[in-house]
Amino acid sequence: MSALPGRLASDAPPAAHAAVDVAGRDRAGPLGRAVEAETVVELADVQHAAVAIMRNVESVIDGKHSAVQIALTVLLAEGHLLIEDVPGVGKTMLAKALATSVDCTVSRIQFTPDLLPSDVTGVSVYNQAERRFEFKPGAIFANLVIGDEINRASPKTQSALLECMEERQVTVDGHSYRLARPFTVVATQNPIEMEGTYALPEAQRDRFMARISMGYPDPASELAMLDSRDTSSPLSRISAVVTEAQLRGMMTAARGVFASAAVKEYAVAVVRATRDDRDLRLGASPRATLQLIRAAKAQAALHGREYVLPDDIDSLAVAVLGHRLVPTSRALGHRSQDSALLIEETVRRILAATPVPTGSSGRP
């Protein structure tokens, strides 16, 4: 793992030893796993580390700078990401490259129709030797969980993620188990093949901070891919550039970015406009407003800024709001396959019609 310079270098003890946080208290992860103390990270170092992570991921994913940046923004904002696109464009590769770039626990769940909720959350097993039930954690107990083809699982299994994603805990047989921090779910789904799949309900989609599409690569990127993947997987050539403790410090730094009252009012105005728009049957929820601000703070931190700009709201609005909106049948017309495009056009129209605050981006 390559080291990062300056204040980002961690002096925390390795995870195999008892960990102590900055206040000197013992810290433990889920089910007693020791956790490294959080590293204090300055905003300048957040930007430096973000560049290192993005270079790592972009060495695997060619020509998708915007998608990589939003994925990293969601990770720093402690949200969850939904990657929706046709097969073979690098959805799972992006999730795995992001996971490889951070030295934390990773699990992958291949969602299938026969997957059970207990396969995700865990199950209590009776220990005959000790005459008691023991909890065996499921795949959700990891810092970064990759959910492949999430819409192929039954709604019952999909709903097992609701508590995990929102409350960062799992409840089994009346006992609650806290999930580790950081905790991010990166789920993929194919919007084209709908036979034998279960579309995510609105309550499930609302848990995801952002949704992105990869899209096809440009000719130059596709040609470069032929050379870079001719003999081996590019994932085998990258390693972690940030430790788990450093990532938690970066998240804390991003959470402390300043958002002025005017910028918050602008975000609220944009979200409220989706609820009254003539082309939308379902507008964005209050959770969308919270997550839009959190994502904007994380994006500002990625650029080394101490404050959020209206431009941060504008650049993230489609990714954060789009999957929460449902168009009316009148607006959709015969464009059933282009609903995502219609929603994007609607969000951009709302942004253009909403007055942008000026002169209030920085700290007073």
Side-chain angles (χ1 to χ4, degrees):
M1 181 181 64
S2 57
L4 294 174
R7 287 160 295 202
L8 196 60
S10 173
D11 295 325
H17 296 81
V20 178
D21 66 5
V22 292
R25 295 182 296 270
D26 291 338
R27 305 181 68 248
L31 309 181
R33 182 177 66 86
V35 177
E36 285 186 89
E38 181 178 299
T39 302
V40 178
V41 181
E42 302 293 339
L43 281 175
D45 296 323
V46 172
Q47 183 182 23
H48 180 84
V51 170
I53 295 174
M54 291 188 65
R55 283 177 181 166
N56 228 25
V57 177
E58 289 181 335
S59 68
V60 175
I61 304 294
D62 296 307
K64 299 299 175 185
H65 180 79
S66 177
V68 174
Q69 180 171 294
I70 292 179
L72 183 54
T73 298
V74 170
L75 179 63
L76 286 194
E78 302 182 68
H80 308 290
L81 179 66
L82 180 62
I83 308 176
E84 187 177 63
D85 217 319
V86 296
V89 293
K91 301 187 299 294
T92 304
M93 186 69 74
L94 171 60
K96 292 172 70 175
L98 186 63
T100 305
S101 299
V102 179
D103 187 17
C104 61
T105 58
V106 180
S107 67
R108 177 179 176 180
I109 307 173
Q110 184 66 52
F111 282 85
T112 55
D114 60 346
L115 189 72
L116 299 175
S118 58
D119 296 328
V120 176
T121 60
V123 64
S124 293
V125 178
Y126 186 69
N127 187 327
Q128 291 186 347
E130 299 185 10
R131 296 182 179 276
R132 64 184 180 87
F133 282 93
E134 292 181 350
F135 177 66
K136 301 296 183 183
I140 201 68
F141 283 88
N143 295 123
L144 201 153
V145 179
I146 302 172
D148 221 1
E149 301 284 357
I150 191 173
N151 56 332
R152 294 200 178 278
S154 67
K156 185 177 181 180
T157 301
Q158 292 174 358
S159 65
L161 291 172
L162 291 176
E163 180 186 15
C164 307
M165 295 172 66
E166 180 64 20
E167 302 176 37
R168 263 65 172 184
Q169 69 176 25
V170 171
T171 302
V172 177
D173 295 335
H175 296 281
S176 295
Y177 305 91
R178 297 295 299 176
L179 295 172
R181 180 178 179 263
F183 171 68
T184 292
V185 174
V186 179
T188 71
Q189 69 173 359
N190 174 11
I192 303 301
E193 296 178 5
M194 300 307 296
E195 184 177 352
T197 64
Y198 303 88
L200 290 177
E202 285 77 7
Q204 185 75 19
R205 293 204 306 268
D206 202 42
R207 258 67 173 185
F208 288 97
M209 175 173 282
R211 179 190 66 182
I212 60 174
S213 295
M214 300 294 293
Y216 292 113
D218 58 72
S221 298
E222 194 164 3
L223 186 61
M225 185 192 310
L226 297 179
D227 295 329
S228 64
R229 304 187 187 186
D230 189 31
T231 57
S232 63
S233 170
L235 283 172
S236 62
R237 298 192 291 270
I238 66 173
S239 59
V241 295
V242 172
T243 69
E244 179 184 335
Q246 290 165 352
L247 179 60
R248 289 199 304 273
M250 293 169 66
M251 291 174 170
T252 299
R255 201 183 310 129
V257 169
F258 176 73
S260 68
V263 169
K264 291 178 180 178
E265 290 170 3
Y266 177 61
V268 169
V270 170
V271 172
R272 289 184 65 86
T274 65
R275 302 169 193 166
D276 301 324
D277 192 86
R278 65 183 183 274
D279 291 336
L280 298 177
R281 178 166 56 88
L282 178 67
S285 67
R287 182 189 285 120
T289 313
L290 291 170
Q291 298 199 346
L292 182 58
I293 290 294
R294 289 175 187 167
K297 287 184 175 184
Q299 179 166 283
L302 289 183
H303 292 91
R305 275 188 278 111
E306 297 181 351
Y307 52 87
V308 176
L309 293 172
D311 288 347
D312 295 318
I313 303 294
D314 291 348
S315 63
L316 291 166
V318 173
V320 174
L321 303 181
H323 60 292
R324 308 170 197 269
L325 308 178
V326 178
T328 63
S329 56
R330 179 192 60 81
L332 196 56
H334 300 291
R335 304 172 60 179
S336 58
Q337 296 296 327
D338 296 326
S339 60
L341 180 59
L342 171 63
I343 289 174
E344 179 178 347
E345 292 171 354
T346 302
V347 172
R348 296 198 184 283
R349 172 169 52 76
I350 289 173
L351 290 171
T354 305
V356 178
T358 58
S360 57
S361 58
R363 290 187 180 275

